[in-house]
Amino acid sequence: MNADPLELQKFADLAHRWWDPTSEFRPLHEINPLRLEWINARAPLAGKQVIDIGCGGGILTESMARKGATVTGIDLGEKALKVADLHSLESGVQVRYKLIAAEEMAAQEAGQYDVVTCMEMLEHVPDPAAIVRACAALVKPGGQVFFSTLNRNPKSYLFAIIGAEYLLRMLPKGTHDYQKFITPSELSQYLRSAGLEVAGLKGMGYNPLTKIYSLNDDTSVNYLVAARRPL
Ligand code: SAH
């Protein structure tokens, strides 16, 4: 199985706080409108079949359903999925959540999705290229796939680990493992090997003084990639 039990445990320990916007998941809440609008601008979500890989408690998942998409969220974290399910019951936003590996889902529902999203997840799995291949299998020809992850270089070590975990304490220590960060060229290589074409690249920045996140062209720390499966 392409999963690290210690990684899953880290998220399980925090799962009850997933929808608390002041919790460890605060950064995900704050970046969500930015990534949602970026995705929706490139692939208008209303009426689309969407799958969110590594959906966690459903922050992005639910917001895509609110845009009018029919959304499935999958993860290997049982607690997160329970929280996600409960939240969607409470909010009345319909989402289908499933505890299943991306590779298994790809075998079951190949080519069924207009849009595949996989955010802040690749840097937590042993074999990210296999997840990329699963995403490529899930998307329809002509459909779009969106990823976000952390770049690997001295600046990303300084900002994403020292800054976010030790200085600003935005994330618990040990949230991220520098060795697992992925450069845009590595991710592009995985995408091409999986038969996807890179269609767009965007950086995401955080200003610690204003505490505001924004999308920009600096991909040196957090970044998003849009890809397309050729027709
Ligand atoms: N994508 C969500 C959550 C990111 S947190 C968002 O951006 O809002 C990372 C998530 O990846 C957690 O929910 C964790 O359980 C999940 N995860 C880690 N390893 C995984 C694996 N091998 N398969 C599926 N999900 C995994």
Side-chain angles (χ1 to χ4, degrees):
M1 172 95 80
N2 181 17
D4 179 342
L6 291 177
E7 288 284 352
L8 294 176
Q9 191 57 47
K10 273 194 273 190
F11 288 101
D13 291 342
L14 305 173
H16 56 288
R17 288 202 285 277
W18 211 288
W19 282 90
D20 174 353
T22 65
S23 73
E24 294 84 350
F25 296 108
R26 177 184 193 138
L28 294 180
H29 286 277
E30 297 203 339
I31 65 174
N32 199 57
L34 298 173
R35 60 191 186 178
L36 175 67
E37 291 309 329
W38 191 67
I39 294 166
N40 193 49
R42 305 189 70 105
L45 290 166
K48 296 274 166 65
Q49 293 289 331
V50 178
I51 186 162
D52 188 22
I53 311 295
C55 63
I59 296 172
L60 177 67
T61 336
E62 232 186 69
S63 69
M64 294 193 291
R66 279 185 196 278
K67 289 279 186 192
T70 301
V71 189
T72 298
I74 70 168
D75 201 289
L76 287 175
E78 202 176 345
K79 287 192 177 164
L81 288 175
K82 281 197 178 133
V83 169
D85 242 336
L86 280 174
H87 195 271
S88 94
L89 278 177
E90 255 176 50
S91 64
V93 178
Q94 225 181 331
V95 178
R96 173 178 71 143
Y97 288 110
K98 241 171 116 83
L99 182 78
I100 186 170
E103 293 90 337
E104 177 69 19
M105 196 64 171
Q108 291 180 12
E109 300 191 351
Q112 299 200 10
Y113 294 93
D114 302 297
V115 174
V116 179
T117 56
C118 180
M119 306 302 229
E120 315 300 330
M121 185 262 200
L122 292 175
E123 70 275 20
H124 298 286
V125 303
D127 183 0
I131 301 292
V132 171
R133 284 195 295 275
C135 293
L138 285 160
V139 73
K140 293 177 186 172
Q144 297 189 69
V145 190
F146 297 90
F147 297 95
S148 68
T149 190
L150 281 159
N151 202 341
R152 191 179 69 257
N153 56 56
K155 183 178 166 187
S156 71
Y157 180 76
L158 192 65
F159 280 61
I161 295 186
I162 303 299
E165 296 183 12
Y166 289 82
L167 299 178
L168 303 176
R169 302 195 183 159
M170 296 159 66
L171 294 172
K173 294 183 180 72
T175 297
H176 286 118
D177 173 2
Y178 177 71
Q179 310 293 335
K180 290 206 187 126
F181 291 4
I182 302 167
T183 67
S185 67
E186 287 165 346
L187 183 50
S188 302
Q189 183 56 51
Y190 300 158
L191 294 170
R192 282 192 296 272
S193 304
L196 297 172
E197 290 168 355
V198 178
L201 187 63
K202 202 80 197 164
M204 196 159 47
Y206 178 70
N207 181 332
L209 298 177
T210 59
K211 301 191 175 168
I212 288 175
Y213 290 87
S214 55
L215 295 189
N216 54 36
D217 292 322
D218 178 3
T219 56
S220 59
V221 184
N222 292 84
Y223 67 98
L224 302 128
V225 174
R228 177 176 289 280
R229 178 170 168 185
L231 275 170

